Amino acid sequence: MFSFFQNLSSGDPMSLTKYDIHNTQQNHYIKFNINGIDRSFIEHSVRAITVRDPFTRIWSAYIDKFLLPDFWASKGKHIISMTRPNPKLMALRCGHDVTFLEFVQYIIEVGHSFQFYNQDKHWLPASDICDPCFFKPSIIGKQETFLADFKYTLEQTGLSKWLEKIQAVHITGFEIKEEIDYTFRIFHRVEKCIDKYELSKRIWTAFILNGYIPANETFPTDIDPGSLNAESFHELVKGVRAKYTITSEQKRAIRTHALQTAYRQVPKDHLDALRELYKLDFVLFGYNPHP
């Protein structure tokens, strides 16, 4: 993560966009080998990892990657072909309508395998991605307390100078704009599968599930699809949000309700399989397997 900062000509870590991170990784990541001089460097460095409750992480990945179009072509098509009996041709061609239950079924079948086709770090158990028994992290941060843990990590690594710029940003507003910009920017990948109106409706739904927009605010039906772009959609979202005051507690409650609703459709044997798959994450990082 900190290697990102070294590559920002602006000197502002918040200028790094989601598109930059996902599409120009080679310019921002530094990779190390586990042997030789790199191993010595790692062993004498402050090592930090960030983890998240497995159930929340799976649900968040579904919204971000499959409700929204990020992973439709790369993984959605494969999930549908792997889990859905007699899928329609468009679903196989686009990968645009993966259900949450199908996503859960896929995760269970893939299991711990790194070699399985289309395995991905967004939902692979954290203890598989970065074995804490081998990596021996100095700091274990949690997504649930991210800002506080991030601040602590920066302080421990002598990077407190970045705090002022980071804390000056309104996080929710930043997340909203980043998601809109990113999703519209990758629209060309899926324009044969959906139009910009459907794309906008999906972003709108994601924002409701994340507690950014009240659930009673339905997406307008009288919008000219030709007028939709990242800028106009962002103004629409800002206009709706200006009518409400959504507190952090309310946003958290909305997210929790959405997560609980999603998991109610998951059969007990699937939930048990997830608990077994993510067993080490629950144990090592202090998460409740029976929330």
Side-chain angles (χ1 to χ4, degrees):
M1 173 166 54
F2 301 127
S3 60
F4 287 164
F5 299 165
Q6 302 166 11
N7 293 276
L8 296 175
S9 58
S10 69
D12 180 4
M14 301 307 288
S15 69
L16 186 67
T17 69
K18 181 176 179 179
Y19 188 87
D20 291 332
I21 294 170
H22 286 269
N23 294 275
T24 58
Q25 295 177 355
Q26 68 276 8
N27 297 325
H28 303 293
Y29 285 102
I30 297 174
K31 296 182 179 181
F32 298 95
N33 295 316
I34 62 173
N35 298 311
I37 191 171
D38 283 354
R39 183 181 183 116
S40 176
F41 174 80
I42 293 171
E43 289 176 346
H44 292 88
S45 298
V46 176
R47 299 173 302 282
I49 64 172
T50 300
V51 297
R52 191 175 193 179
D53 176 88
F55 289 123
T56 307
R57 187 166 163 238
I58 293 168
W59 173 236
S60 178
Y62 175 74
I63 295 174
D64 194 48
K65 306 303 179 186
F66 299 105
L67 174 61
L68 300 178
D70 200 7
F71 278 13
W72 289 1
S74 61
K75 296 176 176 65
K77 294 187 291 185
H78 179 60
I79 291 174
I80 289 171
S81 66
M82 183 173 164
T83 62
R84 186 179 303 177
N86 304 314
K88 294 181 179 179
L89 183 61
M90 184 174 180
L92 289 173
R93 186 173 67 245
C94 292
H96 67 301
D97 60 352
V98 173
T99 68
F100 182 58
L101 182 55
E102 287 171 339
F103 181 47
V104 168
Q105 291 172 331
Y106 167 77
I107 289 175
I108 292 169
E109 185 160 341
V110 167
H112 294 283
S113 173
F114 282 94
Q115 286 73 42
F116 200 98
Y117 181 66
N118 277 342
Q119 179 56 285
D120 192 87
K121 61 182 178 293
H122 288 91
W123 52 80
L124 191 70
S127 50
D128 285 1
I129 299 171
C130 187
D131 181 355
C133 297
F134 175 84
F135 184 63
K136 294 182 172 58
S138 314
I139 300 169
I140 299 176
K142 291 190 172 184
Q143 185 69 25
E144 294 80 7
T145 52
F146 180 78
L147 289 178
D149 295 348
F150 185 50
K151 178 181 177 182
Y152 176 80
T153 303
L154 291 181
E155 291 170 345
Q156 297 303 306
T157 52
L159 294 169
S160 297
K161 63 181 180 179
W162 299 112
L163 280 174
E164 184 177 351
K165 288 183 179 292
I166 294 169
Q167 292 175 332
V169 173
H170 185 274
I171 296 300
T172 298
F174 179 81
E175 291 175 348
I176 287 172
K177 187 175 187 308
E178 278 294 292
E179 193 58 70
I180 293 172
D181 289 347
Y182 179 80
T183 306
F184 271 91
R185 192 165 179 177
I186 65 171
F187 172 68
H188 67 278
R189 302 178 190 172
V190 297
E191 60 185 344
K192 293 182 179 179
C193 301
I194 60 171
D195 59 22
K196 284 189 177 180
Y197 185 81
E198 176 63 24
L199 181 80
S200 300
K201 282 180 63 178
R202 284 175 176 257
I203 303 173
W204 192 272
T205 300
F207 286 173
I208 288 175
L209 295 173
N210 282 324
Y212 300 155
I213 298 174
N216 63 304
E217 287 284 351
T218 57
F219 188 66
T221 58
D222 57 350
I223 291 181
D224 174 17
S227 69
L228 286 168
N229 54 46
E231 292 74 21
S232 64
F233 185 75
H234 189 211
E235 289 302 316
L236 178 64
V237 172
K238 287 197 299 182
V240 170
R241 281 177 52 79
K243 299 190 297 183
Y244 302 90
T245 299
I246 303 175
T247 66
S248 298
E249 291 74 19
Q250 289 172 326
K251 185 170 71 172
R252 191 178 304 115
I254 292 169
R255 289 183 169 187
T256 300
H257 176 72
L259 181 143
Q260 291 171 340
T261 301
Y263 276 101
R264 286 194 186 104
Q265 66 181 290
V266 179
K268 182 180 181 301
D269 62 325
H270 285 43
L271 291 174
D272 289 340
L274 289 178
R275 292 185 180 103
E276 182 61 29
L277 176 60
Y278 291 88
K279 183 177 181 178
L280 280 180
D281 284 11
F282 288 118
V283 173
L284 294 174
F285 306 126
Y287 290 112
N288 180 11
H290 296 276

